[in-house]
Amino acid sequence: MTPASFSSPLSRRRLLGAVGAAGAAGAAGLLGAGPAAAAPASGGRGSAALVIHNARVFTGTAGGGAPVEAVAVGRDGKILATGSGSAVRRHAGRDTEVVDARGNTVMSGIHDGHVHPLGAGDRSLRPSLEGAETTLPELRQLLTGFLADTGGAGAEPDRWLVVEDWNPVGLLPTGSVPHHSMLDALATRRPVALVGGDGHNIWVNRRALDIAGITAATPDPVGGRIVKGADGQPTGVLKDDAQDLVKRHVPEPSRAELVAACAKVLEQAAASGVTTMMDALVGRHELELYQALAAAGKLPQRIVPAIRLDAGQTKDPAAALAYARGLRREFEGVRGLRFGMVKVFLDGVIEYPAQTAALLEPYLDGNGRPTANRGELYTSAADYGRLTAAFNKAGWQLHAHGLGDRAVRTALDGYAYAHRVTGQRDARNAIAHLQIVDPADLRRFAQLGVAACMQLQWAAEDTWTMDALLPYIGPQRHRWMYPARSLERAGARLTGGSDWPVDALQVWNQLRTAIDRQGAYGTGELHRELEGLSRSSVLRMHTAGTAWQLRQEGLTGTVERGKAADLVLLDRDVTRCPVADISGTGVRMTLVGGRVVHDADSEAGRAAVARAARAGSGPRPASYAAVHGGRHHACGH
């Protein structure tokens, strides 16, 4: 191929031949803490391995300058050059692969700063209710079908039926309260468990309660609650860490099944343009899965694992640090993983009926009257501050689940304490979700250098934000839902995440919703005029912003010479197209470290795109279209 022969379609002769059957295996070998190195191709010394031209390049860098319309990728997996087509053309050698972007966007790959990819793989092995609202007869009909599909009579009486994405607020008529007797009426003796789409609730039948040994005398575990009726007996609903009382009895799928399922969902993420992920809930089980995926060449993204600490561990910083360090020592040799993050839950979820998110002022009763409930705070500011100080001093970052304004303040208070004790000014601790933030705390993010990690696909009017929330917090607090622009104006660094599989992985609709606060499925705009972000802010938030959160900005996040070629080529110009059209963006090609990990025209790429489309278009309740499978499913896994 001569330098002048700029091809129109993606060429497969060498570029995709280098991926071939090995595909992700080649990519996995390129990953690590430092810049990735692509396998050298034959050709002239100093010539590019790949040139993408006729593009609208979103560099993500500050400042103006001439438009960038081409990118050259070196044989070391780094960006060799950016600029005009004529300037970049001179880097094309005899065997350089050249791709015509057709005027569409080339940009940094998406950095997902809060996601649970292995949870998505695990979930794919079980039937799902897709967050649907149903009457009890409709629910029983669905579950009867699942019983038949998972073994029928041959599975009696002991094979568990575990169903994902039960909607804790979806039992009709509205206000119906789940009870194990409703599930006991199914024609089965099998233990049945409906895992809440919010990740903070599970609903089980009497058989499951009996297997778990849960009775009226069973005490609530730390960080959880066994819901009991007026008679003092368990209802079959368990919240937060109480879920483990049942889940520990559910047989796990085989390692081979999990690895295969997780490999498919990682391909799906690559097909969506995701090149880096912070797995926000990791323990030994997840690290062993990543180890197996890497060994099989099935780990196409860069992964930053956030090791989960439970409420008990937060009270003993020295022991918690030893635990995290022990896991790092054991697994830091796994290619593609970079350690240095821990995760702590500070509260639960805010929507009715769970209402476990920690609020500064009480929840309302739905009619404007305050209740006695301010939610649940799992860790005190003092404990969280001592924990943060210990980890920051050792070079680790803290990542807090903080939904309610009291949890957000607790995290900020803890980070302020750690800042005073350690004197560190660049710890880059984070708070995720930020569903309600008190305006008095907005400026503290910038003052403390705290990353505001937001999942803005939820920032739309729908049942979750309106029916299940507005009557219970009132309009004054509701106005501060997902206050992205207010945080930005206060100087906070915004970072982005999907929380997949809490929500379907719909990367581009997620970005669109951050702009128009409605997205493809919302019934209205959620405070768009106050909290909607600009297009450039949203693109930076999900690339350079999250790269900063993950201490990776020297490696990825912008399209600049010398950075790793973690790039996506899209099927449209997302910098100029109508905002509503961003939702439908397709990814033509994804590169990590200069190696193609997704090509939409390949057989594997077409299969991954189809899986992504199916996962993002599951059935949604008729009364609201933005459930996306629920909230915080994986956070409680």
Side-chain angles (χ1 to χ4, degrees):
M1 181 179 292
T2 64
S5 60
F6 285 82
S7 59
S8 179
L10 292 179
S11 171
R12 285 174 175 67
R13 185 163 55 87
R14 276 181 292 271
L15 176 66
L16 298 179
V19 179
L30 303 174
L31 303 179
S42 60
R45 261 179 96 90
S47 65
L50 168 68
V51 167
I52 307 175
H53 77 111
N54 189 22
R56 178 80 175 178
V57 180
F58 179 81
T59 65
T61 58
V68 177
E69 57 187 24
V71 179
V73 176
R75 302 183 191 280
D76 61 355
K78 298 180 183 179
I79 297 171
L80 183 62
T82 66
S84 66
S86 58
V88 173
R89 183 188 300 264
R90 65 175 183 265
H91 293 282
R94 176 175 50 82
D95 60 352
T96 298
E97 296 295 340
V98 184
V99 174
D100 183 355
R102 307 168 190 165
N104 298 319
T105 297
V106 170
M107 59 182 283
S108 162
I110 296 296
H111 292 52
D112 196 323
H114 188 105
V115 63
H116 310 273
L118 303 187
D122 181 60
R123 191 189 76 168
S124 70
L125 295 171
R126 291 182 289 276
S128 172
L129 286 167
E130 302 289 354
E133 289 180 324
T134 65
T135 64
L136 185 56
E138 290 169 340
L139 177 62
R140 285 177 179 152
Q141 183 178 6
L142 288 168
L143 296 178
T144 297
F146 293 155
L147 287 165
D149 292 342
T150 57
E156 296 287 345
D158 295 324
R159 180 175 173 183
W160 283 77
L161 173 65
V162 179
V163 180
E164 299 289 344
D165 285 333
W166 162 56
N167 182 351
V169 298
L171 192 59
L172 302 176
T174 301
S176 299
V177 178
H179 193 273
H180 66 76
S181 60
M182 300 172 179
L183 303 179
D184 296 342
L186 292 166
T188 183
R189 294 174 293 163
R190 294 167 61 181
V192 176
L194 276 55
V195 181
D198 60 358
H200 294 255
N201 291 271
I202 191 171
W203 177 18
V204 301
N205 65 355
R206 167 58 73 181
R207 178 79 194 287
L209 288 172
D210 291 343
I211 290 172
I214 297 172
T215 68
T218 305
D220 290 336
V222 176
R225 182 159 67 93
I226 301 167
V227 178
K228 296 176 181 176
D231 59 359
Q233 297 296 321
T235 66
V237 176
L238 299 96
K239 294 180 178 293
D240 295 307
D241 286 350
Q243 297 175 89
D244 292 337
L245 299 176
V246 166
K247 287 185 174 181
R248 67 179 60 146
H249 296 279
V250 179
E252 294 287 343
S254 71
R255 176 60 54 84
E257 289 173 326
L258 275 174
V259 170
C262 290
K264 287 184 177 180
V265 299
L266 292 175
E267 289 176 359
Q268 177 185 332
S272 300
V274 179
T275 55
T276 289
M277 292 187 279
M278 194 208 80
D279 189 325
L281 194 71
V282 169
R284 174 175 298 279
H285 171 70
E286 288 77 16
L287 292 172
E288 288 174 348
L289 275 178
Y290 279 124
Q291 187 177 51
L293 286 161
K298 301 292 186 180
L299 191 56
Q301 288 89 8
R302 305 178 192 270
I303 304 292
V304 178
I307 297 171
R308 182 189 177 181
L309 302 178
D310 63 30
Q313 288 173 299
T314 64
K315 296 181 181 298
D316 190 343
L321 182 58
Y323 166 73
R325 282 172 162 168
L327 288 177
R328 180 176 64 182
R329 281 195 301 271
E330 187 173 351
F331 292 98
E332 64 186 345
V334 176
R335 298 297 298 273
L337 302 187
R338 183 178 60 77
F339 288 85
M341 189 85 65
V342 293
K343 160 76 173 294
V344 175
F345 285 94
L346 295 184
D347 67 347
V349 292
I350 195 169
E351 293 87 6
Y352 177 87
Q355 296 184 334
T356 52
L359 300 183
L360 293 170
E361 299 296 330
Y363 288 90
L364 306 179
D365 64 0
N367 295 306
R369 294 184 295 270
T371 68
N373 179 28
R374 291 200 301 145
E376 300 179 25
L377 191 63
Y378 303 141
T379 300
S380 70
D383 284 343
Y384 193 64
R386 287 189 287 268
L387 182 80
T388 302
F391 273 91
N392 286 173
K393 188 175 181 180
W396 291 68
Q397 299 165 261
L398 267 289
H399 189 90
H401 167 115
L403 272 159
D405 52 10
R406 184 159 60 110
V408 173
R409 182 166 294 177
T410 296
L412 292 170
D413 288 348
Y415 294 152
Y417 171 85
H419 182 270
R420 291 193 302 270
V421 170
T422 67
Q424 293 189 5
R425 298 184 178 276
D426 193 30
R428 302 194 195 182
N429 301 309
I431 308 174
H433 308 319
L434 302 169
Q435 193 161 356
I436 301 286
V437 180
D438 189 276
D441 289 323
L442 295 172
R443 292 191 178 278
R444 300 182 70 194
F445 283 81
Q447 292 166 355
L448 296 169
V450 174
C453 182
M454 307 189 81
Q455 289 62 56
L456 292 179
Q457 72 271 33
W458 302 331
E461 287 189 0
D462 56 36
T463 286
W464 294 100
T465 58
M466 305 304 291
D467 301 346
L469 189 53
L470 178 57
Y472 304 100
I473 63 171
Q476 185 173 354
R477 283 183 289 186
H478 194 268
R479 173 264 172 273
W480 293 103
M481 291 215 22
Y482 305 116
R485 193 194 301 180
S486 294
L487 282 163
E488 183 181 51
R489 285 176 171 172
R493 288 190 182 252
L494 300 183
T495 73
S498 66
D499 212 3
W500 180 46
V502 172
D503 212 341
L505 187 66
Q506 296 178 319
V507 169
W508 302 98
N509 185 59
Q510 172 183 324
L511 271 65
R512 176 251 178 110
T513 308
I515 300 169
D516 69 8
R517 306 280 290 198
Q518 179 170 347
Y521 307 108
T523 57
E525 297 174 346
L526 185 70
H527 310 307
R528 181 192 60 81
E529 70 286 355
L530 297 171
E531 300 299 348
L533 295 171
S534 71
R535 195 181 310 223
S536 60
S537 289
V538 170
L539 292 172
R540 289 189 178 94
M541 171 183 182
H542 291 86
T543 53
T546 307
W548 177 86
Q549 172 192 322
L550 302 180
R551 296 190 180 278
Q552 197 172 293
E553 77 276 16
L555 176 64
T556 65
T558 55
V559 183
E560 300 178 82
R561 186 177 184 274
K563 291 284 187 74
D566 289 18
L567 304 171
V568 291
L569 167 59
L570 308 179
D571 68 354
R572 65 199 66 193
D573 182 2
V574 296
T575 69
R576 292 181 173 179
C577 70
V579 170
D581 289 352
I582 297 174
S583 292
T585 299
V587 179
R588 290 177 58 194
M589 184 168 62
T590 303
L591 294 91
V592 176
R595 181 65 64 93
V596 176
V597 297
H598 167 71
D599 165 44
D601 292 334
S602 70
E603 182 178 353
R606 286 192 295 271
V609 169
R611 287 196 298 273
R614 287 194 300 272
S617 61
R620 293 180 170 86
S623 63
Y624 64 103
V627 171
H628 300 185
R631 295 284 168 82
H632 299 102
H633 162 85
C635 285
H637 177 65

